[in-house]
Amino acid sequence: MFELSDGRESSACCGIEKIIVGTSSLAGLYGAQGEEEARSTIGRALERGFRNFDTAPHYGLGVSEARLGRALRQYEASEVRIWTKVGRLVRRREDARGPIEESNAGDRSIFAETPCELVPVLDYTAAGAAISVAESTERLGLRPFGARVHDPEQTPECEAAALSRDGAFAGLRASGLEVSVGTNDPRVVLRALDCVDAVMLANCWNLVDQNGADALAACAAKRIPVHLAGVYASGLLVGRDAYKYGPVPEVIRAKKAKWEDFAEERGLTLKVVALAFAFQPAAVSLVALGLRTAAEVDDTLDLLAQVEGKEPAFWRALFLDAEARGLLAPGALAACCHSADDSSSTLDDHQ
């Protein structure tokens, strides 16, 4: 059993309190959602007991934060924890001061409901982080629990700025919020470990990609909790024909097909196997799932019940078998996951 620095023992649970509701869909990721459906989804999540939410200015240039905030106020939510992100300031184009991320502006954005008059301005300074948190707080109507430095890997200059003495990490440290990095690049995690309380690692620990194994192992060694995202491989493992926000490579499509056969042999769905796999690394304290509809909220509770319905040793043996069959990267499980005698332990999130 792991013990944290404050003496608390880690939790063995992968229940509802271990899920973060991802809210990128509130801004129209993969298609417009609309205000009414956004409120309905958040309302259902609250009704069923979800209390952790992740958002970002990047998601529709403020749309996700604003819709999440309105829904939380409408349903008079209490005891919620919200993580937002910094690194992009939302500005009207004529008011932009700094480099504009044109690939996420206007009709180039992957968020269908992004206002066309707004642009993301890259700012990874401490001052920019403070402004970003203040503006997020205003859109949300609530002070966030934590803030993540978002995608600093997009340019060397962005990462250098974020990690500097006057950078975003240092600025957030002074804010009193939980400080984390939110990234798709495990190498960034390794470079930022001394700057964070937690890590959000996306799209590099799932059934078709285990490139995050070394970063997960490093987080476990330093007792840094990981909030794991992209566990369904950008939706590929739950039926969406996309991977990492683009077309699906044939090699990835073939991996998915092999996993489908593997799960079917054992009388399991690919969804439940994918969710169980997310909880295998010792460092994972929370798992972020993008929930687009009220039905997906209910489905997630059913999936969690199926994962918890099996002993940890069952899942450990299943994934060792998958590794032996070549479905997982050699050594990935040994590098960052529980051993047979501590398979019930995970790192707790900072409270």
Side-chain angles (χ1 to χ4, degrees):
M1 179 71 73
F2 286 121
E3 187 173 279
L4 300 179
S5 58
D6 62 4
R8 289 179 294 116
E9 286 188 338
S10 62
S11 170
C13 181
C14 59
I16 194 170
E17 70 276 14
K18 296 296 185 181
I19 299 298
I20 300 175
V21 177
T23 63
S24 58
S25 65
L26 299 190
L29 181 64
Y30 299 122
Q33 183 176 46
E35 183 83 20
E36 184 175 346
E37 187 172 30
R39 284 200 304 268
S40 174
T41 301
I42 298 304
R44 186 60 169 165
L46 292 167
E47 179 184 330
R48 298 304 303 270
F50 292 94
R51 290 295 182 270
N52 299 321
F53 298 88
D54 181 86
T55 186
H58 175 52
Y59 303 160
L61 299 184
V63 171
S64 170
E65 290 180 316
R67 285 180 171 173
L68 174 60
R70 286 192 291 269
L72 292 175
R73 291 193 296 275
Q74 177 179 335
Y75 290 97
E76 300 180 346
S78 61
E79 299 182 355
V80 297
R81 294 193 300 177
I82 303 170
W83 286 265
T84 189
K85 303 182 181 75
V86 305
R88 297 173 173 94
L89 296 174
V90 179
R91 296 290 181 266
R92 299 183 67 88
R93 183 174 288 277
E94 59 268 26
D95 298 328
R97 299 292 181 270
I100 295 172
E101 186 184 26
E102 293 289 358
S103 61
N104 282 308
D107 58 8
R108 296 183 185 179
S109 174
I110 60 175
F111 301 97
E113 297 176 82
T114 299
C116 61
E117 71 275 13
L118 300 179
V119 296
V121 178
L122 299 175
D123 191 330
Y124 288 88
T125 65
I131 293 168
S132 185
V133 168
E135 292 176 351
S136 291
T137 299
E138 183 175 353
R139 285 188 289 265
L140 287 163
L142 295 165
R143 180 169 169 79
F145 171 79
R148 315 188 194 281
V149 179
H150 197 193
D151 298 337
E153 71 272 15
Q154 54 189 312
T155 70
E157 292 78 14
C158 287
E159 185 176 342
L163 291 169
S164 71
R165 178 180 298 180
D166 298 319
F169 287 109
L172 290 178
R173 180 63 63 200
S175 72
L177 302 178
E178 181 188 82
V179 180
S180 57
V181 62
T183 180
N184 292 273
D185 189 341
R187 296 168 298 181
V188 172
V189 171
L190 297 175
R191 294 192 287 266
L193 280 182
D194 291 334
C195 304
V196 298
D197 303 312
V199 163
M200 174 167 268
L201 184 60
N203 292 313
C204 52
W205 182 265
N206 54 57
L207 296 182
V208 297
D209 186 340
Q210 299 88 53
N211 286 332
D214 288 344
L216 288 163
C219 289
K222 293 180 73 71
R223 300 297 193 265
I224 295 176
V226 173
H227 306 166
L228 195 67
V231 304
Y232 295 140
S234 306
L236 174 70
L237 301 176
V238 293
R240 185 172 290 116
D241 191 29
Y243 181 65
K244 295 186 177 180
Y245 314 114
V248 184
E250 286 306 313
V251 64
I252 298 297
R253 199 180 298 278
K255 285 184 179 181
K256 177 193 174 184
K258 290 179 181 179
W259 272 108
E260 286 174 327
D261 292 342
F262 182 84
E264 186 177 359
E265 286 175 14
R266 286 152 182 76
L268 300 167
T269 66
L270 189 58
K271 267 187 177 182
V272 75
V273 173
L275 185 56
F277 187 66
F279 286 103
Q280 296 307 299
V284 171
S285 67
L286 298 170
V287 170
L289 301 175
L291 304 180
R292 187 178 180 85
T293 65
E296 289 185 5
V297 172
D298 293 337
D299 182 55
T300 295
L301 285 172
D302 180 61
L303 292 170
L304 285 168
Q306 291 181 60
V307 173
E308 289 198 288
K310 304 287 188 183
E311 292 294 328
F314 169 87
W315 293 115
R316 175 72 179 174
L318 183 142
F319 293 120
L320 285 172
D321 185 20
E323 184 179 57
R325 294 185 179 208
L327 294 177
L328 295 172
L333 292 174
C336 67
C337 294
H338 304 291
S339 64
D341 59 356
D342 71 356
S343 60
S344 63
S345 305
T346 61
L347 286 177
D348 267 340
D349 186 54
H350 293 276
Q351 300 287 330

